[in-house]
Amino acid sequence: MGASEVPVPSLISGMIGARLAYFTPLLIVIAVMYCLERRAREPECTAVVPIRRYDAGALVLTVVLAHAAGLLVGMDVARNVTLLVALALLVRRLANEATAVAAGLVFLLFNLILGRTLQHEGHSSHTWWAVALYPAGSVTAWLVTAVLFALALQLSEGRRAR
């Protein structure tokens, strides 16, 4: 995808460009939520090893593979994959898988439309809460993402334990 951009409305100017790579983490979240949605209830209830452990392992493996691919496509993309998977797991706990994926898209658009500001020099920057727009080297964004993922992983495992 390189530097391909799609136009997105902005509050600081008419239309701004957003890299297409910014939206690619949604593809991974869609696949993960699709796989978590497909359940065989009876075999899972009688399994020797709880399936929720396999689910948690698959989620961690997804994040690890995203970070391995991040070496090629950019670590900000890997961070956003982790962030959107965590957000999807939290929303999934309250609603369902389809709503979880939609929440990720809304979160990204919300960051793009409302999360950008103009600096005094006239350059576009991000607001403090728009974590998905932070540069790849931001320790704050990585810390927020890691804590959110750990929390979401813990809560998603608790959901299945009931």
Side-chain angles (χ1 to χ4, degrees):
M1 288 177 285
S4 300
E5 291 190 351
V6 293
V8 176
S10 173
L11 292 181
I12 61 172
S13 64
M15 294 292 273
I16 57 171
R19 289 183 314 140
L20 194 56
Y22 185 73
F23 294 100
T24 55
L26 283 174
L27 298 174
I28 296 170
V29 173
I30 289 169
V32 167
M33 289 297 115
Y34 178 80
C35 291
L36 289 177
E37 180 184 19
R38 301 294 175 229
R39 297 229 169 260
R41 303 275 182 225
E42 292 78 17
E44 288 183 14
C45 291
T46 60
V48 175
V49 177
I51 300 299
R52 67 182 179 273
R53 288 190 186 165
Y54 289 124
D55 289 346
L59 291 167
V60 170
L61 182 63
T62 300
V63 169
V64 168
L65 290 175
H67 282 78
L71 297 172
L72 299 173
V73 297
M75 291 307 283
D76 56 337
V77 175
R79 184 200 60 226
N80 286 343
V81 166
T82 307
L83 182 65
L84 291 179
V85 166
L87 178 67
L89 288 173
L90 291 173
V91 172
R92 176 179 175 250
R93 181 163 172 82
L94 300 172
N96 60 16
E97 286 77 6
T99 306
V101 172
L105 178 62
V106 168
F107 176 76
L108 288 177
L109 290 174
F110 190 69
N111 274 254
L112 280 173
I113 294 171
L114 300 175
R116 294 190 180 192
T117 60
L118 285 177
Q119 293 179 342
H120 298 295
E121 301 85 31
H123 299 291
S124 176
S125 179
H126 56 79
T127 58
W128 65 269
W129 54 264
V131 179
L133 297 178
Y134 276 54
S138 172
V139 176
T140 304
W142 283 102
L143 184 61
V144 167
T145 301
V147 167
L148 190 63
F149 182 70
L151 177 68
L153 202 57
Q154 184 65 32
L155 289 176
S156 71
E157 193 163 315
R159 175 186 184 198
R160 298 293 177 215
R162 280 189 252 147

